Structure formats: structure tokens, C-alpha cells
Amino acid sequence: MKFFKRDNTLWFMDEIRKPEHMHRIGEVFRIREYLLRKHNICLRPDKAFKEGDFITSKMVFNTIKSIVEAHTSYVVGRQVSISGEPEIVTDFNKIYKKGRYPKIDYELTSDLYKFGNAFEYVFLDGDTIRSHVIPNESAFPVYDDNYNYTSFVEHWKDRDLGGDEHYIVYYPDRVETYLNRSLVDTKVNLTGLPIHYVGLDKTDIFGDGLVADLIPIMDSIENIMSKLDDAVDNLSLNPIGVVRGKRIDSMIPSDIVGVILNLDDTGDSDFKWASSTLDSKSTQLELENLIQQFYAVACIPASMYGQSNISNVSEVSLKYLFSQTDNKAQKTIQSLTDGMFQRFEYFRKLQELRSVHKKYTDEAFDSLNIDFNLSRPVDTNSLMSDLKVQQEMGAISKRTVIQQSPYTTDVELELERINAEKDGVTNEPKEDAEVTPDA
């Protein structure tokens, strides 16, 4: 790897203020604020009504947050399966368990759906391999003019007024820590630069998340629903009283209900409640189309959120129903797979530095593969029947059956239990032969 020497040792302070970073970080903060229920509808102004202030409706639907959680759980809700040569698979599964990597995978996938980018730094904590998920708002990957990944800056500022600024600068060979403008620590980088997971929907070197596509549609839905709520409250449930004829000088209570109003007995005298007829058909048409587009862009079946009834669905229908979700998941899986194989390279390096001092051959390392166990609803009886038929035909192995089974969470542990049961069965006939009388 080529190293670039910089004359300015504090170059990273200028780097994080470049326009491309400022724009991306601003978008990250906008999305984070939105997911914390700070929507545009909250800025809707109040109005004067009936000699008082009318607090306008501000309906906030946090459906997008549920969409992100649904997609994330769909892809990594069930732990990924590592396959390959038994020894290296067993070791990496132990690393996954001790380093709490299922949670790391969930955080990375969630960031990919929210922002289109995710960042992970693998390090050695004592004798345990762990990962640090770097928040998007603190992450500044540095690429040169040829799109080569050269360094990385992690930056945040204390929330206190005039708080300190923290910088962690990652180079391929070392990690430098700065407090404001002072270098406070330098350590050897045992792995490499933080892993940059990039969504396939990307602009230049940075990905583009799903949330940004959904916000404009949800803003329109919230705007219509809030105005509709005001219209029902003002004009249907709280109409304005109108008197025709002689002027009435006394005040009529705004909340008048169930009383009698006496008017002069003239032919022109009249009193009625002025109400408006809502154009419900036009409102319904616009809302239906907005909701349809929302779920189309979100790639989520509307039935998951009660928009349609679903019952007695076959396996084929389920696959069709979740086809868009599967397509979206496959794009995310491609991004995750690239990063995870880089993570495995770092595992391999750190295994040689741990107390176990394990070194893997190229053949063993190249045998590794990652299988994502999507959380798609399945017809369990049909699935188990198909797996049984394929195994009886000799088309798939027992390991594959266990991996595909919805009842299995740990493939390696299940195989160990099966082998242990087999060993127990082989000893049982000998014991029975001693006590079983001859026929």
C-alpha cells in the first residue's frame, strides 16, 4: 500500500470541513432528527379562530422508523451462517459469539438503510476480537483523486458549550488520537483502515439510503392528514353559527349545545350552523396513491401494516408478496458481504496475534462463505417436505438441511449434538446384547 506524506500534521481539521463531507453530515443529522419525530409538519403554524388561538393538528407518523427496523430484521434478524472448512468456521463462530457480532451486523445494516453508509473498525481488546461501529455523523473516510482509500478521520465534539473536539486519525499502520489540536496518543494499527460499507445506490463514493426517498412522501401524507383533522374539527364538529335578520347584540357562547335561541318573529329571521362538505373522494384518491407509492418505494408489503387482508397464502404467493423486499435485501446483502469478507481478513490477522496464535492456509481461508438467513414468512410444512425429498434424492447434504431449517439457530452446535447422539446409539446395541435373552 502506498503511503502519502503530508506536511501539515493537522490536515484532518481541514479535511472534515470539505463540502462533500459537510453536505453528507448535514443529511445524516436531518435523517436522525426525522427518526426522532422532528418532522416538517411540526413547524406548521397555529391560527386565530373564534376569538382565540387554534392549535393546528400536527400528525407525526413514525412509519419510516418501522420500515427501517423491518428491513434490518429481514436481512440480519437471524444470525448469518459462516460456512467453509470446519476448523476455521468453528474459530470464527467463536469470535462472533464472544465479540457480540450479531449486534454489530444489526447496527451496520440499520445504518445502511438509514444513510447508505456504515463504518466498522476491528480491533483487539486484550485477547478478544471486537468491532467498533463508527456513527455516520462522526465518520470521514478519505479518498484520493483516484478513489483510493488512504485514511480515515473519526471526529466528534463534546456537547458542553465550548466543548473539546476529539479526533481519531486512522492510517494503515497507526492510529493517532488528538484532543483539540494536541496529539495525545499513538498506537499501532493491527488490522487496517475502518471498513466502509457502501450501499449499491450510491453517488460517487458514498451510498444513498432508503430513508431520504421516503421522507417527501411521508411529509405529504402527514400534511393531508393534519389538514383533514383540522377540517373535521373546525367545520364538522365545531361549526360556526350564522344568524340572518335582526342583529343580535349579545354574545352567543362558542360552545352552545342543546339550548333554545329566540329570534324576532320576522320572515327573514333565521339561524343555522355553517358547515362545509368535505370532498372526501378527492382526499381519499390522493391518500391512496401516496400510500401506494410509499410502500412501493419502501419495498414492503402493505399487508404488513394492515393495508390489505392476507390469509391462506401459499408458499408461491408469499414469495411473490415479498419479491420487492427480497430484491432490496439482495442489494443490501451485496454491500454487507464485501465488508464482511474484509472483516474476515482482519480476523485472520488478529488470530495470529492472539494467545492462540492460529494461522490459516489460503485454501482454508478461501473456503469461507457467508449465508444470510432472511426472515421471510414461510410455509414451514412445505419447506420441510421439500428439504426431506431433496436429501432423500442425495441432492443436498444434512448440513444444508440444518442451515435451511427454520428451527435451527446454531448449525455447528446442532451438528455436534447429532454426532454425539450417533456415538451414543452405536454403544447401546452392545449393552442390549448382554441383557437380551435368546429367542
Side-chain angles (χ1 to χ4, degrees), residues 324-376:
Q324 287 294 92
T325 311
D326 285 338
N327 294 339
K328 191 72 176 177
Q330 290 303 320
K331 295 176 71 174
T332 306
I333 286 172
Q334 296 302 319
S335 301
L336 288 170
T337 301
D338 287 344
M340 287 181 175
F341 273 112
Q342 182 63 53
R343 177 196 290 172
F344 288 169
E345 291 278 2
Y346 292 164
F347 283 0
R348 187 183 186 184
K349 286 183 180 180
L350 295 178
Q351 281 287 79
E352 297 182 21
L353 301 175
R354 293 178 63 205
S355 58
V356 292
H357 297 298
K358 285 209 171 183
K359 191 171 183 179
Y360 306 106
T361 64
D362 291 339
E363 291 77 10
F365 187 79
D366 292 340
S367 70
L368 287 172
N369 198 15
I370 305 169
D371 297 313
F372 288 81
N373 305 305
L374 300 182
S375 300
R376 185 198 307 118

Short mmCIF file of all heavy atoms in Angstrom, two decimals, residues 324-376:
data_model
loop_
_atom_site.label_atom_id
_atom_site.label_comp_id
_atom_site.label_asym_id
_atom_site.label_seq_id
_atom_site.Cartn_x
_atom_site.Cartn_y
_atom_site.Cartn_z
N GLN A 324 -40.35 -7.77 -3.83
CA GLN A 324 -39.68 -6.47 -3.77
C GLN A 324 -38.78 -6.38 -2.55
O GLN A 324 -37.68 -5.81 -2.62
CB GLN A 324 -40.72 -5.35 -3.75
CG GLN A 324 -41.41 -5.12 -5.08
CD GLN A 324 -40.44 -4.61 -6.13
OE1 GLN A 324 -39.84 -5.38 -6.88
NE2 GLN A 324 -40.25 -3.30 -6.18
N THR A 325 -39.25 -6.93 -1.43
CA THR A 325 -38.42 -6.93 -0.21
C THR A 325 -37.17 -7.77 -0.43
O THR A 325 -36.08 -7.41 0.02
CB THR A 325 -39.23 -7.49 0.97
OG1 THR A 325 -40.50 -6.83 1.04
CG2 THR A 325 -38.50 -7.28 2.28
N ASP A 326 -37.32 -8.91 -1.13
CA ASP A 326 -36.16 -9.75 -1.45
C ASP A 326 -35.17 -9.01 -2.33
O ASP A 326 -33.95 -9.11 -2.13
CB ASP A 326 -36.62 -11.03 -2.14
CG ASP A 326 -37.26 -12.01 -1.17
OD1 ASP A 326 -36.99 -11.92 0.04
OD2 ASP A 326 -38.05 -12.86 -1.62
N ASN A 327 -35.68 -8.28 -3.32
CA ASN A 327 -34.78 -7.53 -4.22
C ASN A 327 -33.99 -6.48 -3.44
O ASN A 327 -32.78 -6.30 -3.66
CB ASN A 327 -35.60 -6.85 -5.32
CG ASN A 327 -36.24 -7.86 -6.27
OD1 ASN A 327 -35.79 -9.00 -6.36
ND2 ASN A 327 -37.27 -7.45 -6.97
N LYS A 328 -34.68 -5.79 -2.55
CA LYS A 328 -34.00 -4.78 -1.73
C LYS A 328 -32.98 -5.45 -0.81
O LYS A 328 -31.86 -4.93 -0.63
CB LYS A 328 -35.03 -4.02 -0.90
CG LYS A 328 -34.49 -2.78 -0.22
CD LYS A 328 -34.22 -1.67 -1.23
CE LYS A 328 -33.77 -0.39 -0.56
NZ LYS A 328 -33.45 0.65 -1.55
N ALA A 329 -33.34 -6.59 -0.26
CA ALA A 329 -32.43 -7.31 0.65
C ALA A 329 -31.17 -7.78 -0.08
O ALA A 329 -30.07 -7.72 0.47
CB ALA A 329 -33.16 -8.49 1.28
N GLN A 330 -31.33 -8.23 -1.33
CA GLN A 330 -30.18 -8.72 -2.08
C GLN A 330 -29.15 -7.63 -2.32
O GLN A 330 -27.94 -7.87 -2.28
CB GLN A 330 -30.63 -9.34 -3.41
CG GLN A 330 -31.38 -10.65 -3.27
CD GLN A 330 -30.57 -11.71 -2.53
OE1 GLN A 330 -29.35 -11.83 -2.73
NE2 GLN A 330 -31.23 -12.48 -1.68
N LYS A 331 -29.63 -6.41 -2.58
CA LYS A 331 -28.70 -5.29 -2.77
C LYS A 331 -27.94 -5.00 -1.48
O LYS A 331 -26.74 -4.75 -1.50
CB LYS A 331 -29.46 -4.05 -3.24
CG LYS A 331 -30.09 -4.19 -4.61
CD LYS A 331 -30.93 -2.98 -4.97
CE LYS A 331 -30.06 -1.78 -5.25
NZ LYS A 331 -30.86 -0.63 -5.75
N THR A 332 -28.65 -5.06 -0.36
CA THR A 332 -28.01 -4.83 0.93
C THR A 332 -27.02 -5.94 1.25
O THR A 332 -25.94 -5.70 1.79
CB THR A 332 -29.07 -4.73 2.04
OG1 THR A 332 -30.03 -3.73 1.69
CG2 THR A 332 -28.44 -4.37 3.37
N ILE A 333 -27.38 -7.17 0.91
CA ILE A 333 -26.51 -8.32 1.17
C ILE A 333 -25.20 -8.17 0.40
O ILE A 333 -24.11 -8.50 0.92
CB ILE A 333 -27.23 -9.63 0.81
CG1 ILE A 333 -28.29 -9.95 1.87
CG2 ILE A 333 -26.25 -10.79 0.68
CD1 ILE A 333 -29.19 -11.11 1.51
N GLN A 334 -25.25 -7.68 -0.83
CA GLN A 334 -24.03 -7.49 -1.61
C GLN A 334 -23.09 -6.51 -0.91
O GLN A 334 -21.87 -6.74 -0.84
CB GLN A 334 -24.38 -6.98 -3.02
CG GLN A 334 -25.17 -7.94 -3.87
CD GLN A 334 -24.46 -9.26 -4.07
OE1 GLN A 334 -23.24 -9.31 -4.28
NE2 GLN A 334 -25.21 -10.35 -4.03
N SER A 335 -23.65 -5.42 -0.38
CA SER A 335 -22.83 -4.43 0.32
C SER A 335 -22.25 -5.01 1.61
O SER A 335 -21.07 -4.80 1.94
CB SER A 335 -23.67 -3.19 0.65
OG SER A 335 -24.20 -2.62 -0.53
N LEU A 336 -23.08 -5.75 2.35
CA LEU A 336 -22.61 -6.35 3.60
C LEU A 336 -21.55 -7.41 3.35
O LEU A 336 -20.57 -7.52 4.10
CB LEU A 336 -23.79 -6.95 4.36
CG LEU A 336 -24.78 -5.98 5.01
CD1 LEU A 336 -26.01 -6.73 5.51
CD2 LEU A 336 -24.12 -5.23 6.15
N THR A 337 -21.72 -8.20 2.31
CA THR A 337 -20.79 -9.29 2.03
C THR A 337 -19.39 -8.75 1.75
O THR A 337 -18.39 -9.29 2.24
CB THR A 337 -21.28 -10.12 0.84
OG1 THR A 337 -22.57 -10.66 1.14
CG2 THR A 337 -20.33 -11.27 0.54
N ASP A 338 -19.30 -7.67 0.95
CA ASP A 338 -17.98 -7.08 0.67
C ASP A 338 -17.28 -6.68 1.97
O ASP A 338 -16.10 -6.94 2.17
CB ASP A 338 -18.14 -5.85 -0.23
CG ASP A 338 -18.49 -6.23 -1.66
OD1 ASP A 338 -18.31 -7.41 -2.01
OD2 ASP A 338 -18.94 -5.36 -2.42
N GLY A 339 -18.03 -6.02 2.85
CA GLY A 339 -17.44 -5.58 4.11
C GLY A 339 -17.10 -6.72 5.04
O GLY A 339 -16.07 -6.69 5.74
N MET A 340 -17.94 -7.75 5.07
CA MET A 340 -17.70 -8.88 5.97
C MET A 340 -16.48 -9.69 5.56
O MET A 340 -15.75 -10.20 6.42
CB MET A 340 -18.94 -9.77 6.03
CG MET A 340 -20.08 -9.15 6.82
SD MET A 340 -21.52 -10.23 6.89
CE MET A 340 -22.59 -9.28 7.99
N PHE A 341 -16.24 -9.80 4.27
CA PHE A 341 -15.02 -10.51 3.85
C PHE A 341 -13.78 -9.71 4.23
O PHE A 341 -12.73 -10.29 4.55
CB PHE A 341 -15.06 -10.80 2.35
CG PHE A 341 -15.77 -12.08 2.02
CD1 PHE A 341 -16.98 -12.07 1.34
CD2 PHE A 341 -15.24 -13.30 2.38
CE1 PHE A 341 -17.64 -13.26 1.04
CE2 PHE A 341 -15.88 -14.49 2.09
CZ PHE A 341 -17.10 -14.47 1.42
N GLN A 342 -13.88 -8.38 4.21
CA GLN A 342 -12.77 -7.57 4.70
C GLN A 342 -12.60 -7.78 6.20
O GLN A 342 -11.48 -7.84 6.72
CB GLN A 342 -13.04 -6.10 4.40
CG GLN A 342 -11.92 -5.16 4.84
CD GLN A 342 -10.62 -5.42 4.10
OE1 GLN A 342 -10.59 -5.44 2.87
NE2 GLN A 342 -9.55 -5.65 4.85
N ARG A 343 -13.72 -7.92 6.92
CA ARG A 343 -13.69 -8.22 8.36
C ARG A 343 -12.98 -9.55 8.60
O ARG A 343 -12.17 -9.68 9.54
CB ARG A 343 -15.10 -8.28 8.92
CG ARG A 343 -15.18 -8.64 10.38
CD ARG A 343 -16.59 -9.06 10.76
NE ARG A 343 -17.52 -7.94 10.75
CZ ARG A 343 -18.84 -8.07 10.89
NH1 ARG A 343 -19.37 -9.28 11.04
NH2 ARG A 343 -19.62 -7.01 10.87
N PHE A 344 -13.26 -10.56 7.77
CA PHE A 344 -12.60 -11.86 7.92
C PHE A 344 -11.10 -11.75 7.71
O PHE A 344 -10.31 -12.45 8.37
CB PHE A 344 -13.19 -12.86 6.93
CG PHE A 344 -14.58 -13.31 7.27
CD1 PHE A 344 -15.35 -14.03 6.35
CD2 PHE A 344 -15.16 -13.00 8.49
CE1 PHE A 344 -16.63 -14.44 6.67
CE2 PHE A 344 -16.44 -13.40 8.81
CZ PHE A 344 -17.18 -14.12 7.89
N GLU A 345 -10.66 -10.87 6.78
CA GLU A 345 -9.22 -10.64 6.60
C GLU A 345 -8.60 -10.12 7.89
O GLU A 345 -7.50 -10.53 8.29
CB GLU A 345 -9.00 -9.63 5.47
CG GLU A 345 -9.36 -10.13 4.08
CD GLU A 345 -8.26 -10.96 3.46
OE1 GLU A 345 -7.22 -11.18 4.13
OE2 GLU A 345 -8.44 -11.42 2.31
N TYR A 346 -9.31 -9.22 8.57
CA TYR A 346 -8.82 -8.68 9.83
C TYR A 346 -8.83 -9.76 10.92
O TYR A 346 -7.93 -9.81 11.77
CB TYR A 346 -9.66 -7.48 10.27
CG TYR A 346 -9.50 -6.26 9.37
CD1 TYR A 346 -10.42 -5.22 9.42
CD2 TYR A 346 -8.43 -6.15 8.49
CE1 TYR A 346 -10.28 -4.09 8.62
CE2 TYR A 346 -8.29 -5.04 7.67
CZ TYR A 346 -9.21 -4.01 7.74
OH TYR A 346 -9.07 -2.90 6.94
N PHE A 347 -9.87 -10.61 10.93
CA PHE A 347 -9.89 -11.74 11.87
C PHE A 347 -8.64 -12.59 11.69
O PHE A 347 -8.00 -13.01 12.67
CB PHE A 347 -11.12 -12.62 11.64
CG PHE A 347 -12.41 -12.06 12.17
CD1 PHE A 347 -12.45 -10.84 12.82
CD2 PHE A 347 -13.61 -12.76 12.03
CE1 PHE A 347 -13.64 -10.33 13.32
CE2 PHE A 347 -14.79 -12.26 12.52
CZ PHE A 347 -14.82 -11.05 13.17
N ARG A 348 -8.30 -12.85 10.45
CA ARG A 348 -7.15 -13.71 10.15
C ARG A 348 -5.86 -13.09 10.69
O ARG A 348 -5.01 -13.80 11.26
CB ARG A 348 -7.05 -13.90 8.63
CG ARG A 348 -6.01 -14.90 8.18
CD ARG A 348 -5.94 -14.97 6.67
NE ARG A 348 -5.05 -16.02 6.20
CZ ARG A 348 -4.76 -16.23 4.92
NH1 ARG A 348 -5.31 -15.46 3.98
NH2 ARG A 348 -3.94 -17.21 4.57
N LYS A 349 -5.71 -11.78 10.53
CA LYS A 349 -4.52 -11.10 11.04
C LYS A 349 -4.45 -11.18 12.57
O LYS A 349 -3.41 -11.49 13.14
CB LYS A 349 -4.54 -9.63 10.63
CG LYS A 349 -4.24 -9.35 9.18
CD LYS A 349 -4.22 -7.84 8.93
CE LYS A 349 -3.92 -7.51 7.48
NZ LYS A 349 -3.91 -6.04 7.26
N LEU A 350 -5.58 -10.90 13.20
CA LEU A 350 -5.60 -10.83 14.67
C LEU A 350 -5.47 -12.21 15.31
O LEU A 350 -4.96 -12.33 16.43
CB LEU A 350 -6.88 -10.14 15.15
CG LEU A 350 -7.01 -8.67 14.77
CD1 LEU A 350 -8.33 -8.10 15.26
CD2 LEU A 350 -5.84 -7.86 15.33
N GLN A 351 -5.92 -13.26 14.61
CA GLN A 351 -5.79 -14.61 15.15
C GLN A 351 -4.32 -14.99 15.35
O GLN A 351 -3.97 -15.73 16.27
CB GLN A 351 -6.46 -15.63 14.23
CG GLN A 351 -7.98 -15.70 14.37
CD GLN A 351 -8.42 -16.38 15.64
OE1 GLN A 351 -8.42 -15.79 16.73
NE2 GLN A 351 -8.81 -17.64 15.54
N GLU A 352 -3.46 -14.46 14.49
CA GLU A 352 -2.03 -14.75 14.62
C GLU A 352 -1.40 -13.99 15.78
O GLU A 352 -0.33 -14.37 16.28
CB GLU A 352 -1.30 -14.38 13.32
CG GLU A 352 -1.75 -15.19 12.12
CD GLU A 352 -0.97 -14.83 10.86
OE1 GLU A 352 0.15 -14.28 11.00
OE2 GLU A 352 -1.46 -15.09 9.76
N LEU A 353 -2.08 -12.90 16.24
CA LEU A 353 -1.53 -12.08 17.32
C LEU A 353 -2.11 -12.44 18.68
O LEU A 353 -1.60 -11.99 19.70
CB LEU A 353 -1.80 -10.59 17.02
CG LEU A 353 -1.22 -10.06 15.71
CD1 LEU A 353 -1.65 -8.62 15.49
CD2 LEU A 353 0.31 -10.16 15.72
N ARG A 354 -3.17 -13.22 18.68
CA ARG A 354 -3.78 -13.61 19.95
C ARG A 354 -2.94 -14.70 20.63
O ARG A 354 -1.99 -15.22 20.06
CB ARG A 354 -5.20 -14.13 19.72
CG ARG A 354 -6.19 -13.08 19.24
CD ARG A 354 -7.53 -13.71 18.99
NE ARG A 354 -8.09 -14.26 20.23
CZ ARG A 354 -8.98 -15.24 20.25
NH1 ARG A 354 -9.40 -15.81 19.13
NH2 ARG A 354 -9.45 -15.67 21.40
N SER A 355 -3.34 -15.03 21.84
CA SER A 355 -2.60 -16.06 22.59
C SER A 355 -2.71 -17.43 21.92
O SER A 355 -1.83 -18.27 22.10
CB SER A 355 -3.14 -16.14 24.02
OG SER A 355 -4.53 -16.45 24.02
N VAL A 356 -3.77 -17.64 21.12
CA VAL A 356 -3.94 -18.93 20.44
C VAL A 356 -2.97 -19.09 19.28
O VAL A 356 -2.62 -20.21 18.88
CB VAL A 356 -5.39 -19.10 19.93
CG1 VAL A 356 -6.36 -19.22 21.09
CG2 VAL A 356 -5.79 -17.94 19.03
N HIS A 357 -2.51 -17.97 18.69
CA HIS A 357 -1.54 -17.97 17.58
C HIS A 357 -1.98 -18.90 16.46
O HIS A 357 -1.24 -19.78 16.03
CB HIS A 357 -0.14 -18.39 18.06
CG HIS A 357 0.45 -17.46 19.06
ND1 HIS A 357 0.74 -16.14 18.78
CD2 HIS A 357 0.81 -17.65 20.36
CE1 HIS A 357 1.25 -15.56 19.85
NE2 HIS A 357 1.29 -16.44 20.84
N LYS A 358 -3.19 -18.69 15.97
CA LYS A 358 -3.69 -19.56 14.89
C LYS A 358 -3.40 -18.92 13.53
O LYS A 358 -3.63 -17.74 13.32
CB LYS A 358 -5.19 -19.79 15.04
CG LYS A 358 -5.53 -20.76 16.15
CD LYS A 358 -6.81 -21.50 15.85
CE LYS A 358 -7.05 -22.62 16.85
NZ LYS A 358 -8.25 -23.39 16.54
N LYS A 359 -2.89 -19.75 12.63
CA LYS A 359 -2.60 -19.30 11.27
C LYS A 359 -3.32 -20.20 10.30
O LYS A 359 -3.26 -21.43 10.42
CB LYS A 359 -1.08 -19.34 11.03
CG LYS A 359 -0.66 -18.65 9.75
CD LYS A 359 0.86 -18.53 9.68
CE LYS A 359 1.27 -17.77 8.42
NZ LYS A 359 2.75 -17.61 8.36
N TYR A 360 -4.02 -19.59 9.33
CA TYR A 360 -4.83 -20.35 8.39
C TYR A 360 -4.20 -20.32 7.00
O TYR A 360 -3.64 -19.30 6.58
CB TYR A 360 -6.25 -19.78 8.32
CG TYR A 360 -6.94 -19.68 9.66
CD1 TYR A 360 -7.11 -18.45 10.28
CD2 TYR A 360 -7.40 -20.82 10.31
CE1 TYR A 360 -7.74 -18.35 11.51
CE2 TYR A 360 -8.02 -20.73 11.54
CZ TYR A 360 -8.19 -19.49 12.13
OH TYR A 360 -8.81 -19.41 13.36
N THR A 361 -4.30 -21.44 6.31
CA THR A 361 -3.80 -21.51 4.94
C THR A 361 -4.73 -20.73 4.02
O THR A 361 -5.89 -20.45 4.35
CB THR A 361 -3.71 -22.97 4.47
OG1 THR A 361 -5.04 -23.53 4.44
CG2 THR A 361 -2.84 -23.79 5.42
N ASP A 362 -4.21 -20.41 2.85
CA ASP A 362 -5.04 -19.70 1.86
C ASP A 362 -6.23 -20.55 1.45
O ASP A 362 -7.33 -20.03 1.21
CB ASP A 362 -4.20 -19.34 0.63
CG ASP A 362 -3.16 -18.26 0.95
OD1 ASP A 362 -3.35 -17.54 1.95
OD2 ASP A 362 -2.17 -18.16 0.20
N GLU A 363 -6.02 -21.88 1.35
CA GLU A 363 -7.12 -22.75 0.95
C GLU A 363 -8.23 -22.74 1.99
O GLU A 363 -9.43 -22.68 1.63
CB GLU A 363 -6.61 -24.19 0.75
CG GLU A 363 -5.69 -24.38 -0.45
CD GLU A 363 -4.28 -23.86 -0.20
OE1 GLU A 363 -3.97 -23.52 0.98
OE2 GLU A 363 -3.50 -23.78 -1.17
N ALA A 364 -7.87 -22.78 3.26
CA ALA A 364 -8.88 -22.76 4.31
C ALA A 364 -9.61 -21.43 4.33
O ALA A 364 -10.83 -21.38 4.47
CB ALA A 364 -8.23 -23.04 5.67
N PHE A 365 -8.86 -20.33 4.19
CA PHE A 365 -9.50 -19.02 4.23
C PHE A 365 -10.40 -18.80 3.02
O PHE A 365 -11.50 -18.24 3.13
CB PHE A 365 -8.43 -17.92 4.30
CG PHE A 365 -9.00 -16.55 4.51
CD1 PHE A 365 -9.41 -16.13 5.76
CD2 PHE A 365 -9.13 -15.68 3.43
CE1 PHE A 365 -9.95 -14.86 5.95
CE2 PHE A 365 -9.66 -14.41 3.61
CZ PHE A 365 -10.07 -14.00 4.88
N ASP A 366 -9.96 -19.24 1.85
CA ASP A 366 -10.77 -19.07 0.63
C ASP A 366 -12.03 -19.92 0.65
O ASP A 366 -12.95 -19.69 -0.15
CB ASP A 366 -9.94 -19.42 -0.61
CG ASP A 366 -8.83 -18.41 -0.84
OD1 ASP A 366 -8.93 -17.28 -0.31
OD2 ASP A 366 -7.85 -18.74 -1.55
N SER A 367 -12.08 -20.93 1.53
CA SER A 367 -13.28 -21.77 1.60
C SER A 367 -14.44 -21.08 2.32
O SER A 367 -15.57 -21.55 2.27
CB SER A 367 -12.96 -23.09 2.31
OG SER A 367 -12.73 -22.88 3.70
N LEU A 368 -14.15 -19.95 3.01
CA LEU A 368 -15.19 -19.27 3.77
C LEU A 368 -16.28 -18.70 2.87
O LEU A 368 -16.01 -18.20 1.78
CB LEU A 368 -14.57 -18.12 4.59
CG LEU A 368 -13.73 -18.52 5.80
CD1 LEU A 368 -13.04 -17.29 6.39
CD2 LEU A 368 -14.60 -19.18 6.86
N ASN A 369 -17.49 -18.79 3.36
CA ASN A 369 -18.62 -18.19 2.67
C ASN A 369 -19.64 -17.71 3.71
O ASN A 369 -19.64 -18.17 4.85
CB ASN A 369 -19.28 -19.20 1.72
CG ASN A 369 -20.16 -18.51 0.70
OD1 ASN A 369 -20.08 -17.30 0.51
ND2 ASN A 369 -21.02 -19.28 0.04
N ILE A 370 -20.49 -16.76 3.32
CA ILE A 370 -21.47 -16.18 4.22
C ILE A 370 -22.87 -16.44 3.66
O ILE A 370 -23.13 -16.16 2.49
CB ILE A 370 -21.26 -14.67 4.39
CG1 ILE A 370 -19.83 -14.38 4.84
CG2 ILE A 370 -22.25 -14.08 5.38
CD1 ILE A 370 -19.47 -12.90 4.77
N ASP A 371 -23.74 -16.97 4.50
CA ASP A 371 -25.13 -17.21 4.11
C ASP A 371 -26.04 -16.36 4.99
O ASP A 371 -25.96 -16.42 6.23
CB ASP A 371 -25.50 -18.69 4.26
CG ASP A 371 -24.67 -19.58 3.34
OD1 ASP A 371 -24.55 -19.24 2.16
OD2 ASP A 371 -24.15 -20.60 3.82
N PHE A 372 -26.91 -15.57 4.36
CA PHE A 372 -27.86 -14.74 5.09
C PHE A 372 -29.19 -15.48 5.20
O PHE A 372 -29.74 -15.95 4.19
CB PHE A 372 -28.07 -13.40 4.38
CG PHE A 372 -26.88 -12.48 4.50
CD1 PHE A 372 -25.78 -12.62 3.67
CD2 PHE A 372 -26.87 -11.47 5.45
CE1 PHE A 372 -24.69 -11.78 3.78
CE2 PHE A 372 -25.78 -10.62 5.57
CZ PHE A 372 -24.68 -10.78 4.73
N ASN A 373 -29.69 -15.59 6.40
CA ASN A 373 -30.93 -16.31 6.66
C ASN A 373 -32.08 -15.30 6.76
O ASN A 373 -32.38 -14.78 7.83
CB ASN A 373 -30.81 -17.12 7.95
CG ASN A 373 -29.62 -18.07 7.92
OD1 ASN A 373 -29.48 -18.87 7.01
ND2 ASN A 373 -28.74 -17.94 8.91
N LEU A 374 -32.68 -15.00 5.62
CA LEU A 374 -33.72 -13.98 5.56
C LEU A 374 -34.93 -14.39 6.40
O LEU A 374 -35.30 -15.57 6.44
CB LEU A 374 -34.15 -13.73 4.12
CG LEU A 374 -33.06 -13.25 3.16
CD1 LEU A 374 -33.64 -13.01 1.77
CD2 LEU A 374 -32.39 -11.99 3.69
N SER A 375 -35.53 -13.41 7.05
CA SER A 375 -36.67 -13.67 7.94
C SER A 375 -37.99 -13.58 7.18
O SER A 375 -38.94 -12.95 7.64
CB SER A 375 -36.65 -12.68 9.11
OG SER A 375 -35.48 -12.81 9.86
N ARG A 376 -38.04 -14.18 6.01
CA ARG A 376 -39.28 -14.19 5.23
C ARG A 376 -40.24 -15.22 5.81
O ARG A 376 -39.83 -16.33 6.14
CB ARG A 376 -39.00 -14.53 3.78
CG ARG A 376 -40.25 -14.45 2.89
CD ARG A 376 -40.09 -15.19 1.59
NE ARG A 376 -38.90 -14.79 0.85
CZ ARG A 376 -37.91 -15.62 0.57
NH1 ARG A 376 -37.95 -16.88 1.00
NH2 ARG A 376 -36.88 -15.21 -0.12
#
